[in-house]
Amino acid sequence: MAVCIAVIAKENYPLYIRSVPTQGELKFHYTVHTSLDVVEEKISGVGKALADQRELYLGLLYPTEDYKVYGYVTNSKVKFVIVVDSSNTSLRDNEIRSMFRKLHNSFTDVMCNPFYNPGDPIQSKAFDSIVSTMMVQAC
Amino acid sequence: MCAGDQNLFTSLYGSLTQQLSREPMEWRRSYGRAPKMIYLEANFVQFKEELLPKEGNKALLTFPFLHIYWTDCCDTEVYKASVKEDMQRWQAALRLHGSVDWLIAVVESDNKKKNKTNILPRTSIVDKIRNDFCNKQSDRCVSLCDPLKESSRSQESWSSFLTKLRTLLLMSFTRNLGRFEDDMRTLREKRTEPGWSFCDYFMVQEELAFVFEMLQQFEDALVQYDELDALFTQYVLNFGAGDGANWLGSFCQPVRSWNGLLLRRPIDMEKRDLIQRGEASLLDLRSYLFSRQCTLLIFLQRPWEVTARALELLHNCVQELRLLEVSVVSGALDCWVFLSSLEVLHRIEGCCDCSQLEANSSHTVGLWTYATEKLRSLGDLCGLVSENGPDSEDLNKTVDLLAGLGAERPETMNSPQSPYKKLKEALSSVEAFEKHYLELSHAAMEMYRVNGRLRSARLLGKSLAEFYMRKGDPQSAENFLLDSLKSYVSESWSLPLTHTRKQIAECQKQLQKMDDYLQTSALLASDTNLSDEERRHFCQEILTFASQTAEGKDVCVALSMSSVTRLQELCFRPSSALVHVSAALQLELRLCSLMPVPVTLEQIAVSIHFTQEQPGSTAQKRAAQNQDGTVTFPAASPASASASASALELCEILEHSPSDNTLSSAGVACKNMHLLMRRHDSTTSLDTPNTTPSAVTIEDGAQMLRASDVTLLPGNNSIVFTSQKPGVYTLRQLCATLGRVQLVLPHLYPVVQYEVYSQEPQLSIQPLTEHLLAGLPQQVKFTILTGHYSVKKGDALQLSNTDSMPVLHSSTRSARILSSSSAELVAESALSIQSSEKVTSISLPVTPPYHTLEFLLDVLCHIPSCPARMESERLTNGQISHRTRSRTRFNSGMTLIDQKVSVDCPWSIYSTLVSLTFHVPFKVKHSLLSVGRRKFIQVCLQNVSDTNFRLTNQTLTENQHTPSLELLSLNTTTHSQCVFSVWELRWSGVCPVSLHCEFSASFAPADAPDAALKPYRYDFTLERVTTLYSVRAEIRPAAGEQHCVSGSLCRLEVSVTRLSEAGDSDEDSSDTDGLRSCRLLYEVMDNNSNWAVCGKSSGVVSMPVAAMATHKVHMEVMPLFAGHLPFPNIRVFKYLPHHASAVIPPDTDSCLENDSLSLDDQAETASLRSRGSVQSLGSGESAPRGPMPKRQAFGPGQVFNSTQGQQVLVLPAADHHVMEVNVT
């Protein structure tokens, strides 16, 4: 499962970021932040190809030796990033997709909360628990 | 494989191979795969029996697909003798090996035919062969005619031969390929069986790939390799999952060679041999697989896929080696990856031009970065990054690594920039490593920049900075760090931000940039992402610096306060932020300290800016201040970090037209539109630094509010300031001093202001009711705003007394003292009023400054007896300022009296003038009425105020007490609001020219008792009372008529009779003809249009000054209507000749007032006759613009018109007039 899950606002600041505690949190922050480059590249690429506008899943953003970074962007340009351990080969594209879908649903719930102020960091427990189910169960 | 006549074949070989591949064939494939057009190429070899494939042969590439027997035999005898036998032998051999793909080619030539003329028909040999061998497949025998000749016949036979050849070849190929594939699949299905070898299978499937490659079907070839790749990957994964296959053991041998990929050969036979022998390591297999894939992809013109696959492969290999727990010398993989990446890049460069490379740098940059990373880790491993250079252990490692590289391959031997040489050089020395590392890093960063991947570029820059730091070169590191910090700040990624900032702090410390270092430390000390310990460390750094004694140049260091404390709230007491001088204004700051430890500040000061502004204009500026005097400062949230100023600042705009000051337009304008309308997209925001640079300026010279020795505890603190001097102050900066360190908050936003004012004492007197009524005691309210003056004991107000408005002494009054700011009652004390002849003195109670003193006083304003008279009196203090002025307010009909009171105040040497306006509640009117010689005086007294009054006791007296005069009252007593009183004036003898009368009455408010009645006096003068002339008029119908008829002329007789002897001095008389006479101007006119005056309507008559002298004038008038018509107006004036009027100032009022008589119409001589004889009398003297004759009206009682109110009956005219009107 995922080792790091991040939700990034339209303006590219993190709304939510959680990673496996066993590994350096900082490293994931750097990784996710850098992945925004590719997200932006892909978003602007999507803009050109009108046919693919409805596809929110951006696919593999970039692989590193240890991790694979997947991206997803909502219609409101909120970005989801999931980092998966490279050695975890059992995860296929479809599973990543379904993870993103789950994440999106939960995020939508957060947004629907009238007490949530859009743009604030997400502190919802429900969202947190959804993320937990997707994270590596090593902890 | 060719059997038969070898010489014949050799002669045809050239053109055969050439032409075979010239035309494509459609290749139909099994398993529903799409048909393809392919070009066949064949290798022809001489038939040998031992070359025929044995059973179980897997080689497809060298497989004999088609066997051809060549013969040019055209002689039946020869055929029968040898050829047939040879063919049979050949066939038998084929049959033995199960080969069914054969062809017999019979070459015919005309040369041979000519030689043997009597031979059998040409076809017979072919037929014979067909009969002998092709019992079912007649197409297995073809003839070729004159193949070496250029004739159409020859070409035709060639083409049909080739078609046949291709078809057969393809048929055989398809069949054999299908069989091969089936075999291969069978072999693959056996992979779970023990003893199955991946390497063997690999060779089989690769054979297939080779065939496809040979057929130029690179796509299919690639598929074979991809299948192999996937199969192998799956095995590795299964192995990782515990499901190991035995054959995989050979791949798990320790890695001994890491010389990277080799992509310059189409087929790396070395590695292939290793695989074939089952001795290949995992890296060997992967390298070989990739080199094949790479070759095919480049054939397919897909170089960018190579880079993507390469990156994947490299990552994958590292993972797989880890998974398989293959023992690898540390650093060996890094070498391999480095070499491989560069090799791939070189390969790509080799097949693309420069512009293509640049355009697709997004594909290659990953490899560049990866190579950079690996080189870096190699450098770390071999001690090439440290300041001191590698030690012996590091050198040993380097030697080991270099050993694993082996010798350089011959392909790259000659290129000076080969990856192999690069790596070797980089590992050889610190300098060379640095050179190569920087080169790679910069190349990768540049590529990222070009592709717009700034974050990646900066991350790379950051690792470069780390490298510099390790090398002890903080100077070069700083810029990279600051650059990457920028992007984390702008996108508020707190964790990377903190980390980078920590590195910057380290860097700045090494660079001895104290200002920057302290600023960074301040930020870090308040950073919650750090541990308490670290924060304390950075805090201590600041404190240590602060406590150092200043030496030389940099005495003070100014830091931004926002990094360590957050100004949360500011609170004014009193809440209006408006105080008078010497009152205490408290300003409470609520600061949240983000420091981990308590910090003792020597001083904290708010610098304030004094503005000379009108009080009150600041009211709207203080909009940010709440009702309770608090100002809340917005906390910078991460969301608003980039758009902190995005709140709309709206202001109202009202435009007044310049002429009449009416509102012409109203609107709302946004003041910070330039900030809001700025283009705002996420890509640019990465580069716009929105944090204020660390340069913090301290405003000096400004006034300050100070608080000393403040300890800021972690968390919320509140600090109180006080302030005094008058003025409007704007808070500008907040500055905390901490030894040598000053913490400065350069701007306070929103703007906060407070006002300290100083006020002069003020006295105002206001009526308690809406109107002050004259004649009644009225209450007025004295209000004293003490301002800065404090009322001492014995201070008194001196009111100068006036006769017209005395101050009434009433029972003891009390004064109320209110505090001016809150308007609450502070004290109430008795007021003593002493009054002397000229001055009323009110002693005031002791009142502190900035309080309001209020008391009430009763005053009375006398109603003046003559409303129009002006009075002027001299006051005690010598000023002529006490003046009563009356004016009439027309709307209410009340006369106003402005009463000015001069008050001497203890705080000023000047008197204060206060104006009070009283309303006279009554209106009085008098008139003289006459009946013949009898005279009556009517006085009307009317209450015009809202108060009800009782009016009584009207009396009229004559002031001069003329003895012969008697005033006879005709009144009854009334008490109404409006009183009309009439007196008859009787006299004996000569009536006095003027009568001075005095009317008096009593009045009191309607509900007051009789004792409260107050006198009201009204003086007036009557002049020219006696009646001089009596005017009588008579209208008679025309002669012979009984009644006046409308439309017909009537006679009007006017008789003016003098009633009294001349006695008036003012009467103009002239002595003409020895008699005293007086000239009168009469005028008949009808304003109601009842009458038309025919002939002259006016004229001048000369009246002798004698009693009962009568003058009659006749004229004709025509009634215009029927009915009882009033008489036309007859007016009589005194006529003054021009010489007399030249002396008198021209009285324009009486000159040209209200008549049709135009006196200055001199030129109109034609109208003279009709208009009368006025001009004819003075026509000789009248110059065009000279003095003119005047007329003067008589006084109201001097002319008595006895026909006033009389009417005459006028009958309607006869009908025919009406008829006439109807006809016309």
Side-chain angles (χ1 to χ4, degrees), chain B residues 950 952-953 975 1002-1014:
Chain B
R950 205 141 44 100
T952 183
N953 298 343
H975 298 281
S1002 299
F1003 69 93
D1007 48 350
D1010 279 354
L1013 281 174
K1014 291 202 169 54

Side-chain angles (χ1 to χ4, degrees), chain A residues 118-129:
Chain A
D120 285 355
I122 296 171
Q123 281 158 338
S124 156
K125 275 184 191 153
F127 188 77
D128 214 44
S129 66

Side-chain angles (χ1 to χ4, degrees), chain B residues 1198-1222:
Chain B
Q1198 282 179 306
V1199 177
F1200 174 66
N1201 194 345
S1202 58
T1203 48
Q1204 197 159 35
Q1206 217 171 306
Q1207 286 181 335
V1208 66
L1209 179 69
V1210 177
L1211 292 181
D1215 283 341
H1216 65 270
H1217 284 284
V1218 180
M1219 289 298 290
E1220 248 175 59
V1221 170
N1222 285 341

Side-chain angles (χ1 to χ4, degrees), chain B residues 933-1004:
Chain B
R933 291 177 192 230
R934 292 173 73 187
K935 295 287 166 182
F936 300 90
I937 297 170
Q938 187 197 43
V939 178
C940 171
L941 181 65
Q942 192 186 356
N943 172 22
V944 286
S945 74
D946 299 336
T947 321
N948 277 346
F949 281 104
R950 205 141 44 100
L951 299 171
T952 183
N953 298 343
Q954 316 91 304
T955 51
L956 187 69
T957 50
E958 208 271 322
N959 274 355
Q960 287 145 323
H961 304 289
T962 319
S964 61
L965 207 66
E966 190 187 353
L967 286 167
L968 198 69
S969 174
L970 305 172
N971 301 317
T972 53
T973 36
T974 52
H975 298 281
S976 66
Q977 298 296 313
C978 182
V979 177
F980 287 89
S981 331
V982 180
W983 286 268
E984 187 178 356
L985 188 65
R986 287 188 184 173
W987 68 90
S988 53
V990 180
C991 179
V993 174
S994 73
L995 284 171
H996 293 284
C997 298
E998 182 188 307
F999 172 79
S1000 63
S1002 299
F1003 69 93

Side-chain angles (χ1 to χ4, degrees), chain B residues 340-372:
Chain B
S340 303
S341 328
L342 288 190
E343 176 71 16
V344 172
L345 290 171
H346 274 252
R347 185 74 185 86
I348 298 300
E349 275 164 36
C351 68
C352 298
D353 56 14
C354 241
S355 60
Q356 254 184 312
L357 268 178
E358 260 172 53
N360 289 287
S361 57
S362 64
H363 296 102
T364 52
V365 69
L367 279 175
W368 280 107
T369 317
Y370 200 27
T372 314

Side-chain angles (χ1 to χ4, degrees), chain A residues 6-17 25-38 40-41 60-68 79 85-90 92 118-121, chain B residues 234 237 311-312 314-315 318-319 322-323 334 337 362 370 373-374 448 451-457 459 462 487-488 490-497 499-500 503 637-640 642 680 682-683 685-686:
Chain A
V7 180
I8 295 133
K10 179 172 176 285
E11 293 83 6
N12 289 337
Y13 62 89
L15 289 174
Y16 181 93
I17 181 158
E25 200 183 354
L26 179 68
K27 182 177 66 183
F28 288 118
H29 279 242
Y30 278 126
T31 307
V32 173
H33 183 252
T34 313
S35 75
L36 290 177
D37 269 342
V38 191
E40 276 178 3
E41 206 171 276
L60 181 66
L61 297 181
Y62 71 97
T64 64
E65 207 173 286
D66 306 313
Y67 303 106
K68 288 189 176 118
K79 294 125 191 161
D85 208 311
S86 284
S87 60
N88 192 343
T89 42
S90 59
R92 303 270 168 208
D120 285 355
Chain B
Q234 195 54 49
L237 292 181
L311 202 57
E312 204 180 325
L314 299 178
H315 289 147
V318 174
Q319 286 295 326
R322 212 177 282 166
L323 192 68
D334 297 338
V337 168
S362 64
Y370 200 27
E373 274 169 29
K374 286 303 165 190
Y448 273 134
N451 286 305
R453 296 195 183 180
L454 289 178
R455 296 180 190 85
S456 311
L459 190 67
K462 216 169 84 61
S487 68
Y488 300 129
S490 72
E491 298 183 337
S492 44
W493 282 72
S494 64
L495 229 55
L497 181 66
H499 180 240
T500 312
Q503 291 176 322
S637 69
S640 61
S642 53
H680 215 289
S682 50
T683 46
S685 73
L686 200 61

